[in-house]
Amino acid sequence: MSSPIAEPPDATKGDGEVPARPASPADPVTEGALDPEPATEDEGLAVRPYDAIVVLSFGGPESTEEVMPFLRRVTAGRGVPDERLEAVAEHYYARGGKSPINDQTRALQQALHAELRRRGVATPVLLGNRNSEPFLVDTLRQAQDAGARQVLIVTTSAYASYSSCRQYREDIAAALIELADEDRQLAVDKIRQYATHPSFTRVNARLVTEAVRGCGQPDDDKLRVVFVTHSIPEAMDDTSGPGDGEGNLYEHQHDEIAHVILDEAGITLDRNLSGALVYCSRSGSPSQPWLEPDVNDHLRSLAAQGVTDVVVAPIGFVSDHMEVVHDLDTEAAATAAEVGLKMTRVPTVGTDPEFVMGLADLVEERAAQARGEQVELVGWPGAPMPPICAAGCCPNLRAHKPAACGMD
């Protein structure tokens, strides 16, 4: 697939003090975000100093009329011609012009709100998008109008790289700059990237285990687990992670999770499972190296080796958005059928209760840090990522842009 939908830019391209929470700001309200009964005085203590939580997603079109404006917005400044965008637009038109991502993000917003409400937290959970309505800046403006002074962001992206972390922070900074030009003051933090949070790993391991159990292939030599994530330019992976680190954190995190999942599933099922990490959604200039192998090439290779069954696990994605339903459920499924492979596709973590509980834990964790409390960060596999990105972390290789929630 040649898709600019989540296309990263090409390769030519101290945790400060948090202000104290105001005494009693009005809660910003969004449709479906609040229960009708008023909050009691103690509700929300676990997430103070934050007055609102915003689930920040990539966004997507809701109708055929929105498809091309959406694609132009996503690729603005990259010189992508409309002819190429029209080819990508066909993927949306085939589904009525509507991306699945918005409904899935709304479901996650509601699930996180329900989990926090279960914990006695009445703080509203709002929705903001990077590339479609409701735009992040509008959501933050709404929250500020309703009295919010400090907001916590929960992104729908788990891993460390420019496109999956810093680009979100750039969008947060751009929104704050626009609000500052309107003389609006708002403090914004975000939870840490959660690819190394145990809940994310455990849910993925459970889903893969269930898929292997249900695929019906008892012979380990004929079965492979195919872990899939979004490809990025090699140069972006080379610089992913802290500025003083070794780089390649994007690939390393995926590879580490894949190995842990294979081990966990193998122990649970008493099987000797094998698998590999592969990539989808490669785009950009053909001359620019991107992470490989492509999922379709890998499936053909497995069939040539005598494998008959594949369990395809999209561990790089939080929900079943366009890169999953087109690249895997359409293109990869067609390739598997062409070469005679039986393909079982593993669900994404979506609104799995354990994943949502993990996000709620991360919200409470970040709030405790903002209050100045000592918090022991947990990570599995690998080290937990920091809530405030280090200087030089996952840099923009094309142009310098302000980025929030970090040291630079």
Side-chain angles (χ1 to χ4, degrees):
M1 174 181 178
S2 179
S3 169
I5 303 308
E7 178 183 2
D10 58 41
T12 60
K13 41 183 177 171
D15 196 352
E17 268 191 280
V18 178
R21 184 185 193 273
S24 56
D27 283 329
V29 179
T30 190
E31 182 178 358
L34 291 178
D35 289 336
E37 68 270 17
T40 65
E41 184 176 351
D42 291 336
E43 287 179 323
L45 285 174
V47 300
R48 290 182 181 172
Y50 301 115
D51 311 308
I53 298 160
V54 176
V55 177
L56 175 59
S57 186
F58 191 82
E62 296 274 9
S63 67
T64 54
E65 293 76 18
E66 293 181 20
V67 172
M68 285 301 291
F70 165 75
L71 294 177
R72 292 186 186 111
R73 218 160 26 237
V74 171
T75 59
R78 299 180 191 170
V80 181
D82 269 7
E83 295 77 24
R84 180 177 168 200
L85 297 183
E86 286 286 2
V88 177
E90 292 299 327
H91 305 159
Y92 291 89
Y93 297 149
R95 293 169 175 81
K98 182 175 180 177
S99 169
I101 194 172
N102 293 331
D103 285 345
Q104 292 165 3
T105 306
R106 283 187 284 264
L108 181 61
Q109 170 204 6
Q110 292 162 9
L112 179 58
H113 168 67
E115 173 59 25
L116 290 171
R117 206 72 178 89
R118 187 184 68 81
R119 300 181 185 199
V121 175
T123 304
V125 180
L126 314 179
L127 173 64
N129 287 325
R130 294 172 52 203
N131 298 291
S132 66
E133 295 181 348
F135 292 103
L136 174 62
V137 66
D138 297 328
T139 300
L140 294 179
R141 185 183 292 110
Q142 173 199 11
Q144 201 265 352
D145 281 343
R149 296 297 176 264
Q150 293 185 242
V151 174
L152 182 63
I153 300 284
V154 175
T155 67
T156 57
S157 180
Y159 292 87
S161 77
Y162 170 75
S163 60
S164 54
C165 184
R166 190 181 187 95
Q167 195 168 19
Y168 282 80
R169 299 200 293 114
E170 290 177 350
D171 290 338
I172 296 169
L176 292 176
I177 291 170
E178 183 172 338
L179 294 178
D181 289 342
E182 302 170 7
D183 293 325
R184 296 173 181 270
Q185 300 302 315
L186 195 64
V188 175
D189 294 325
K190 66 180 285 294
I191 66 168
R192 59 184 167 107
Q193 297 296 97
Y194 44 84
T196 56
H197 192 269
S199 65
F200 184 73
T201 307
R202 284 197 301 262
V203 172
N204 274 297
R206 170 165 46 82
L207 293 173
V208 169
T209 301
E210 292 170 355
V212 171
R213 181 185 285 118
C215 79
Q217 176 50 266
D219 188 343
D220 292 338
D221 290 334
K222 294 185 177 299
L223 172 70
R224 293 292 185 275
V225 181
V226 180
F227 299 97
V228 188
T229 190
H230 201 299
S231 185
I232 61 174
E234 289 183 2
M236 187 183 293
D237 180 49
D238 289 343
T239 55
S240 62
D244 58 356
E246 298 179 355
N248 303 111
L249 187 57
Y250 180 80
E251 183 176 18
H252 175 72
Q253 287 176 335
H254 284 88
D255 186 65
E256 198 167 33
I257 289 174
H259 276 91
V260 165
I261 291 173
L262 280 178
D263 288 345
E264 291 292 308
I267 292 170
T268 300
L269 300 172
D270 191 24
R271 298 187 60 168
N272 184 25
L273 299 174
S274 300
L277 175 65
V278 303
Y279 302 89
C280 69
S281 305
R282 188 244 192 270
S283 58
S285 169
S287 63
Q288 182 185 29
W290 282 53
L291 295 178
E292 295 178 338
D294 174 77
V295 58
N296 296 285
D297 295 337
H298 185 67
L299 293 178
R300 294 186 183 96
S301 175
L302 291 179
Q305 297 169 32
V307 172
T308 61
D309 293 71
V310 289
V311 170
V312 175
I315 59 170
F317 304 94
V318 171
S319 66
D320 289 11
H321 51 73
M322 190 59 73
E323 277 77 6
V324 176
V325 298
H326 183 81
D327 290 28
L328 300 185
D329 295 346
T330 302
E331 290 193 344
T335 298
E338 174 191 330
V339 297
L341 290 173
K342 179 186 174 185
M343 175 176 150
T344 300
R345 209 266 281 171
V346 181
T348 49
V349 293
T351 57
D352 184 279
E354 185 175 3
F355 172 60
V356 175
M357 285 190 286
L359 291 182
D361 290 344
L362 287 164
V363 166
E364 293 182 348
E365 170 191 282
R366 186 68 187 93
Q369 291 169 326
R371 295 192 298 266
E373 300 172 14
Q374 291 295 318
V375 179
E376 182 179 356
L377 305 184
V378 294
W380 179 71
M385 287 178 276
I388 298 179
C389 293
C393 188
C394 301
N396 184 334
L397 299 178
R398 187 169 59 175
H400 173 73
K401 293 183 179 181
C405 309
M407 295 182 181
D408 65 344

